[in-house]
Amino acid sequence: MTDNILVVDDEQRIIDLARMYLEQDGFRVTSATNGNAAKNMILRDKPSLVVLDLMLPGMDGLEVCRRVREESDVPIIMLTARSEDIDKIVGLELGADDYLTKPFNPRELLARIRAILRRADRGNAQDQAPPPITIANLLIDPQRRRVEIDGRPVDLRMKEFDLLQALAQNKGVVFSRDKLLNVVWGYDFAGQTRTVDVHVAHLRHKLNGMAPTIETVWGVGYRLDDR
Amino acid sequence: MTDNILVVDDEQRIIDLARMYLEQDGFRVTSATNGNAAKNMILRDKPSLVVLDLMLPGMDGLEVCRRVREESDVPIIMLTARSEDIDKIVGLELGADDYLTKPFNPRELLARIRAILRRADRGNAQDQAPPPITIANLLIDPQRRRVEIDGRPVDLRMKEFDLLQALAQNKGVVFSRDKLLNVVWGYDFAGQTRTVDVHVAHLRHKLNGMAPTIETVWGVGYRLDDR
DNA sequence: TCACAATGTAAAGTTTCTGTAAAGCCCAGC
DNA sequence: GCTGGGCTTTACAGAAACTTTACATTGTGA
């Protein structure tokens, strides 16, 4: 049973961003752009979790949260533009389950959603992390953050692991450097695209016995070989 | 397809500074020194991103931002002289994508511009990759950027692939060389139309077992055979 | 058939992109 | 503070692709 996440924000950009990450992680996503619609959707559709922006046209996030709490204990993650606002929310004790300031890292949003759903409990240990991936003689275990080639462990650093995982989860698909920066580094990373190249070089060096290799698609990006 | 950045500031010094850094990084730069001109240029020229000073003669930055947002979701980076103003901007939630205080570090401006442009479109472009196309014994997979004839992979270079994809997506339709330059090379390509011919020649050579061939429509252009 | 324009194509010239080593930077742990 | 490890930036060389050029070939209309 896939979880349904309701994302409420008046900026379509934020909704699109969240949707991209959440759907890639196997969630269904619905959205609303104002407080009234949000409140109605929460009570009618009973999503598994709500991501709720504080500033909304019409009924604001605080008000939505208060009203919803009268009838439902759906987990709520509040988004705020300024970190100081968090104090306000917390002070009001209106029952949000977690808070994030914009601009937020989508990977962090994902992590908190998973944490809360896990806490809310449905016994599924497996929605914490994707299942292990095996490609030829390569094994990637996201939960343990372990990689093996022919059963021999390979010592990867954080970015190397994330990069490999991203490529392996979409074996054969070409990722542009920009795409990889978005997926692995987060949408607010402000560095150069060449950073990706350096990590790919490290990976290739450490994985030189790997059956599928990381191919360069000239002028486009990288992919984990399919064949 | 280089991005065009509009820099709006009443200080020519700031514009020159930004222009120097941005152009060195491969961006095209246009500029305006007052709010009205800025608003008109944004709506008319549709720049990829706007750097907008808060304090402007005539219509100020906040007002420009608000007006523009009614018709466009172009990414906007606001510049302010004092850090306290940032709270004001953020509090107003008028849809700026990022903020910088003057005096700003030009390299940081560059980094934020790159980050925003990256999340704005490049990243999503991959998600919207069209589905694989099959024409007779030819298979084109845009997501993997792979081409097969009778199941045998064909090694194409970037432009060759893009060209084939463009023709295949409109099988039977005649493309003029100019049209192909627009679609494949981008509207700002400054080269000769004969460039297309050369790539078509390469393609024909690599795809010589392909059932539908690339036909020359004499005096008009090329098309991928329908029958 | 001839003249002329359009197209095919090989090869040279040019540009862009990538691999990689090394330096710089930042932060957690001591 | 210092130190070490990991991450990012930078610089440069080499590789690969792209564009231009020049000449050959083909198609068109008189």
Side-chain angles (χ1 to χ4, degrees):
Chain A
M1 182 181 56
T2 62
D3 286 302
N4 176 25
I5 312 291
L6 173 64
V7 179
V8 188
D9 201 302
D10 58 333
E11 287 179 83
Q12 189 62 40
R13 195 170 62 74
I14 297 288
I15 292 177
D16 293 341
L17 180 74
R19 181 187 301 279
M20 188 175 89
Y21 277 81
L22 291 171
E23 289 185 343
Q24 172 155 7
D25 212 55
F27 293 106
R28 280 180 301 129
V29 175
T30 52
S31 61
T33 55
N34 69 71
N36 261 311
K39 198 198 78 182
N40 295 334
M41 289 181 73
I42 291 170
L43 299 179
R44 191 187 66 222
D45 299 342
K46 306 197 188 311
S48 308
L49 185 146
V50 181
V51 178
L52 182 59
D53 190 31
L54 182 65
M55 301 291 285
L56 290 173
M59 195 191 314
D60 77 11
L62 294 176
E63 186 62 21
V64 174
C65 194
R66 202 156 19 226
R67 299 264 194 101
V68 167
R69 272 288 170 271
E70 292 169 7
E71 314 187 37
S72 161
D73 58 355
V74 59
I76 296 178
I77 295 180
M78 295 289 288
L79 294 181
T80 72
R82 293 179 306 166
S83 54
E84 306 98 74
D85 289 335
I86 283 193
D87 297 338
K88 195 166 72 184
I89 301 176
V90 173
L92 288 174
E93 279 288 336
L94 38 67
D97 294 77
D98 207 342
Y99 320 92
L100 267 183
T101 52
K102 292 195 210 175
F104 59 88
N105 181 337
R107 299 176 68 77
E108 178 160 8
L109 176 63
L110 209 50
R112 301 211 180 182
I113 287 176
R114 283 197 296 250
I116 288 176
L117 289 179
R118 185 160 9 101
R119 196 188 312 153
D121 190 29
R122 61 263 335 276
N124 286 354
Q126 56 171 257
D127 54 35
Q128 302 173 33
I133 305 168
T134 310
I135 303 175
N137 63 351
L138 174 72
L139 168 73
I140 302 171
D141 184 338
Q143 201 168 8
R144 300 170 190 280
R145 292 187 72 84
R146 249 178 98 86
V147 171
E148 296 179 1
I149 296 177
D150 293 325
R152 286 188 305 277
V154 181
D155 179 45
L156 296 186
R157 310 196 277 216
M158 179 174 62
K159 288 285 189 265
E160 290 163 2
F161 184 92
D162 291 345
L163 193 53
L164 180 62
Q165 184 184 352
L167 290 169
Q169 269 168 345
N170 298 278
K171 176 177 68 143
V173 174
V174 180
F175 284 76
S176 68
R177 291 170 176 72
D178 283 336
K179 176 77 174 173
L180 287 170
L181 286 178
N182 277 325
V183 172
V184 174
W185 275 260
Y187 80 118
D188 58 348
F189 176 74
Q192 314 273 119
T193 56
R194 293 306 304 279
T195 300
V196 176
D197 299 38
V198 175
H199 288 276
V200 167
H202 293 161
L203 258 179
R204 282 173 171 160
H205 189 253
K206 291 187 180 182
L207 302 177
N208 69 345
M210 178 178 68
T213 54
I214 298 177
E215 291 185 337
T216 300
V217 181
W218 217 91
V220 183
Y222 297 103
R223 84 175 139 216
L224 197 67
D225 190 4
D226 219 353
R227 287 165 289 183
Chain B
M1 225 169 309
T2 61
D3 286 301
N4 176 26
I5 312 291
L6 173 63
V7 180
V8 188
D9 201 303
D10 57 334
E11 290 178 80
Q12 188 63 41
R13 198 171 55 77
I14 298 286
I15 291 178
D16 293 340
L17 181 70
R19 180 188 300 280
M20 194 175 81
Y21 276 82
L22 291 172
E23 288 186 343
Q24 173 153 7
D25 211 55
F27 294 105
R28 282 180 299 134
V29 176
T30 52
S31 60
T33 54
N34 70 72
N36 260 310
K39 198 199 81 181
N40 293 335
M41 288 182 72
I42 291 170
L43 299 180
R44 192 188 64 223
D45 299 343
K46 305 194 188 314
S48 307
L49 185 147
V50 181
V51 178
L52 183 57
D53 189 30
L54 182 64
M55 302 291 286
L56 289 173
M59 196 191 314
D60 77 12
L62 293 176
E63 186 62 19
V64 173
C65 193
R66 205 162 10 232
R67 299 266 193 100
V68 166
R69 272 288 170 272
E70 291 169 8
E71 316 187 35
S72 160
D73 58 353
V74 60
I76 296 177
I77 295 180
M78 295 288 290
L79 295 181
T80 71
R82 294 177 308 160
S83 56
E84 308 97 72
D85 289 335
I86 283 195
D87 293 338
K88 195 166 74 182
I89 301 175
V90 173
L92 288 174
E93 277 286 332
L94 39 67
D97 293 77
D98 209 342
Y99 321 93
L100 267 184
T101 51
K102 291 194 205 175
F104 61 87
N105 177 343
R107 305 179 68 75
E108 176 158 12
L109 175 63
L110 207 51
R112 302 216 179 178
I113 288 175
R114 280 196 300 252
I116 289 174
L117 289 179
R118 171 155 45 76
R119 72 173 98 130
D121 51 31
R122 324 283 161 73
N124 294 354
Q126 297 268 341
D127 300 332
Q128 294 154 7
I133 304 168
T134 311
I135 303 175
N137 63 353
L138 174 71
L139 168 73
I140 304 171
D141 184 338
Q143 206 180 17
R144 297 179 156 67
R145 291 188 74 87
R146 285 228 158 100
V147 171
E148 296 180 1
I149 296 177
D150 293 325
R152 285 189 307 278
V154 181
D155 181 45
L156 296 186
R157 308 198 277 212
M158 179 171 57
K159 286 283 189 280
E160 291 163 3
F161 184 94
D162 292 344
L163 193 53
L164 179 62
Q165 184 183 355
L167 291 168
Q169 268 167 348
N170 299 279
K171 155 177 85 137
V173 175
V174 182
F175 284 77
S176 69
R177 290 171 176 72
D178 282 330
K179 177 76 174 172
L180 285 170
L181 285 178
N182 271 318
V183 172
V184 174
W185 276 259
Y187 67 95
D188 58 348
F189 177 74
Q192 317 275 111
T193 57
R194 294 305 306 281
T195 300
V196 176
D197 300 36
V198 175
H199 288 277
V200 168
H202 293 162
L203 256 180
R204 283 172 170 159
H205 188 252
K206 291 187 179 181
L207 301 177
N208 69 345
M210 177 178 70
T213 55
I214 298 176
E215 292 183 335
T216 302
V217 181
W218 219 85
V220 184
Y222 298 102
R223 85 173 142 215
L224 196 67
D225 189 5
D226 216 356
R227 288 153 297 178

